Amino acid sequence: MGSALIKNGTVVTATETMHADVFIENTMVVAIVASGIDLGLVADRTIDASGKLVIPGGIDVHTHMELPFGGTFAADTFETGSRAAAWGGTTTIVDFAVQTKGESAMEGFEAWMAKAEGECAIDYGFHMITGDINEQTLKEMDMLVDEGVTSFKMFMAYPGVFYSDDGEIVRAMQKAAENGSMIAMHAENGIAIDVFANQALARGETDPIHHGLVRKSVLEGEATHRAIRLAEVTGAPVYFVHLSALEALEQVILARDEGRNVFAETCPQYLLLDLDNLGNGFEGAKYVCSPPLRDRAAGHQERLWRGLKTDDLQVVSTDHCPFCMGDHHTFGVQKQLGRGNFAAIPNGIPGVENRMELIFDAGVSGGRINPNRFVEITSTTPAKMFGLFPKKGTIAVGSDADIVILDPDRTHTISVDTHHMDVDYSAYEGREVTGKVETVLSKGKVIVADGLYHGRKGDGDYLRRGTTMMLR
């Protein structure tokens, strides 16, 4: 693969900012030298990063490529979705293998491994959705940890699909406490939500806005509290995915103040979009996701930003799960499945390509967080949380050369016309952002540069993850 030298940039990690040159040999960083000091290093390729930030590649630990849901499949395959991630400065994803009712967890894992093998443009790992907790599944959780799957997602929502009751959650948490894995929790009171949804539909309230109205924020808070207390009595660490509501964040803060192993992520859509996006008739279907976008007047968005600044929230992921408004070229009808019934709209928003630039713009350029915290929440903490650090998540001697060169001053406009995700709309259409990913290296190979894609499917490798480094 050869060598590369990134010169004259500002290297930013979670803990340091320095003017330095980064020397890469094959797939790894082998030297970091203060700019202006000539050690006589000669590289096959020199990249001038003057005026740019040199940061670790992004790690998105919540994506759903090819997920079967709501009568269709998520629009991005592992090939298209991972390539789009690379364009946006993400060099590692952790997706979700799926166990459905009546299927073994190992069968689900093997099926998702087969989907991804030879397809991914960047490195990838898996969480396991455990949709059928029984004695076999509990045994297979140990087997999956041996395979590098060290986190298990459970749902307190979607009765009849992925839902687990409190007893099933307790059993899985007991196993996680025993084998050192993490429970990743979708915390919404799905039983109560279904009552409100059915009542709304019976009243003829069918537009997408009602998806946001029936999935009440207090029900996310209630489920978060309940999951935390179940984790308390079982001794399992718990990580709340896609936290959207201030009521849920309050429960996380209380638990962390008690010293408990409770962690949470949020997503760009919950920081930047709001309930109003679900309006305008069926156009609001573009923004249907669960939990839903929240009412800005209630203060959810700014409370989440404050939580990121104070480390009450540790990670920003995307929950990338795109569905087209028109027919998808392979999967057919998608969002339109819910026309006339908001409860039948496939839940999900595209975003894997936009995360890094959106959070840099609104966070760093917007004055809410500094560049080090930006790196921490988009790369370093995800790596530590899910057993990838220090191979991933930092720029250090011996780490993989997953590196992004970002121009902090360059503005551009997000649009479906220029994105690379295989979906026919952008949730951030027309939004001008400051901060542009210009060059992306994955394991020392330049895969994005000069507005061109230089990678190929199959560049990415499966990552056997260790257990979390974040326990308190």
Side-chain angles (χ1 to χ4, degrees), residues 394-410:
T394 192
I395 299 175
V397 172
S399 296
D400 280 358
D402 294 350
I403 296 175
V404 169
I405 300 173
L406 182 147
D407 186 336
D409 301 315
R410 182 175 166 187

Side-chain angles (χ1 to χ4, degrees), residues 78-100:
F78 281 95
E79 178 187 2
T80 64
S82 64
R83 185 170 61 241
W87 273 103
T90 289
T91 54
T92 300
I93 59 170
V94 185
D95 204 86
F96 289 82
V98 179
Q99 176 205 26
T100 57

Side-chain angles (χ1 to χ4, degrees), residues 32-337:
I32 303 170
V33 182
S35 295
I37 297 177
D38 186 3
L39 296 184
L41 298 173
V42 178
D44 299 325
R45 177 171 185 166
T46 299
I47 302 169
D48 184 9
S50 298
K52 314 291 174 60
L53 303 183
V54 180
I55 62 175
I59 301 174
D60 190 343
V61 293
H62 192 154
T63 67
H64 294 288
M65 309 303 177
E66 303 182 42
L67 178 72
F69 192 80
T72 184
F73 290 81
D76 269 315
T77 63
F78 281 95
E79 178 187 2
T80 64
S82 64
R83 185 170 61 241
W87 273 103
T90 289
T91 54
T92 300
I93 59 170
V94 185
D95 204 86
F96 289 82
V98 179
Q99 176 205 26
T100 57
K101 286 287 184 185
E103 179 188 63
S104 84
M106 285 301 298
E107 286 174 353
F109 169 65
E110 289 164 0
W112 254 256
M113 285 286 284
K115 287 175 184 282
E117 186 177 6
E119 297 294 318
C120 285
I122 55 177
D123 287 353
Y124 61 97
F126 286 111
H127 313 279
M128 188 77 222
I129 291 175
T130 46
D132 193 359
I133 298 298
N134 52 48
E135 288 301 324
Q136 179 180 341
T137 299
L138 295 173
K139 292 176 182 177
E140 288 179 330
M141 287 174 70
D142 289 334
M143 297 166 62
L144 285 160
V145 169
D146 291 339
E147 294 291 335
V149 178
T150 56
S151 42
F152 298 90
K153 185 177 181 182
M154 306 192 76
F155 289 80
M156 304 169 87
Y158 305 132
V161 184
F162 293 131
Y163 174 80
S164 292
D165 64 29
D166 286 0
E168 292 167 324
I169 291 169
V170 164
R171 295 183 77 195
M173 284 183 167
Q174 287 173 330
K175 175 56 70 174
E178 178 184 311
N179 65 22
S181 60
M182 177 85 77
I183 296 296
M185 186 64 73
H186 180 137
E188 290 184 287
N189 188 323
I191 301 295
I193 286 168
D194 276 9
V195 171
F196 290 117
N198 290 334
Q199 290 172 343
L201 291 169
R203 293 191 296 266
E205 297 166 352
T206 62
D207 280 352
I209 187 69
H210 297 288
H211 171 83
L213 296 175
V214 303
R215 303 185 84 93
K216 301 175 187 298
S217 61
V218 69
L219 295 178
E220 185 181 349
E222 182 276 330
T224 302
H225 169 80
R226 184 158 35 101
I228 287 169
R229 294 311 161 195
L230 296 178
E232 177 184 348
V233 297
T234 58
V238 61
Y239 175 89
F240 290 96
V241 295
H242 50 47
L243 189 146
S244 72
L246 59 85
E247 293 94 335
L249 180 55
E250 287 168 358
Q251 296 302 316
V252 169
I253 292 170
L254 287 171
R256 289 179 61 78
D257 287 348
E258 294 171 354
R260 306 203 180 281
N261 284 311
V262 173
F263 312 95
E265 69 178 22
T266 192
C267 307
Q269 56 266 34
Y270 302 121
L271 295 164
L272 303 174
L273 305 176
D274 59 49
L275 184 64
D276 288 348
N277 291 100
L278 288 164
N280 193 27
F282 196 72
E283 279 295 297
K286 295 176 179 177
Y287 301 94
V288 167
C289 60
S290 294
L293 306 181
R294 300 301 185 187
D295 183 4
R296 189 172 297 276
H300 297 281
Q301 289 78 6
E302 284 308 311
R303 186 66 189 89
L304 296 180
W305 276 112
R306 191 158 79 250
L308 284 172
K309 185 173 183 179
T310 58
D311 199 39
D312 293 315
L313 290 167
Q314 291 76 49
V315 173
V316 176
S317 299
T318 59
D319 192 12
H320 175 76
C321 193
F323 300 99
C324 290
M325 285 293 283
D327 286 358
H328 186 271
H329 56 83
T330 300
F331 303 129
V333 178
Q334 300 206 297
K335 290 284 190 180
Q336 298 294 330
L337 290 167

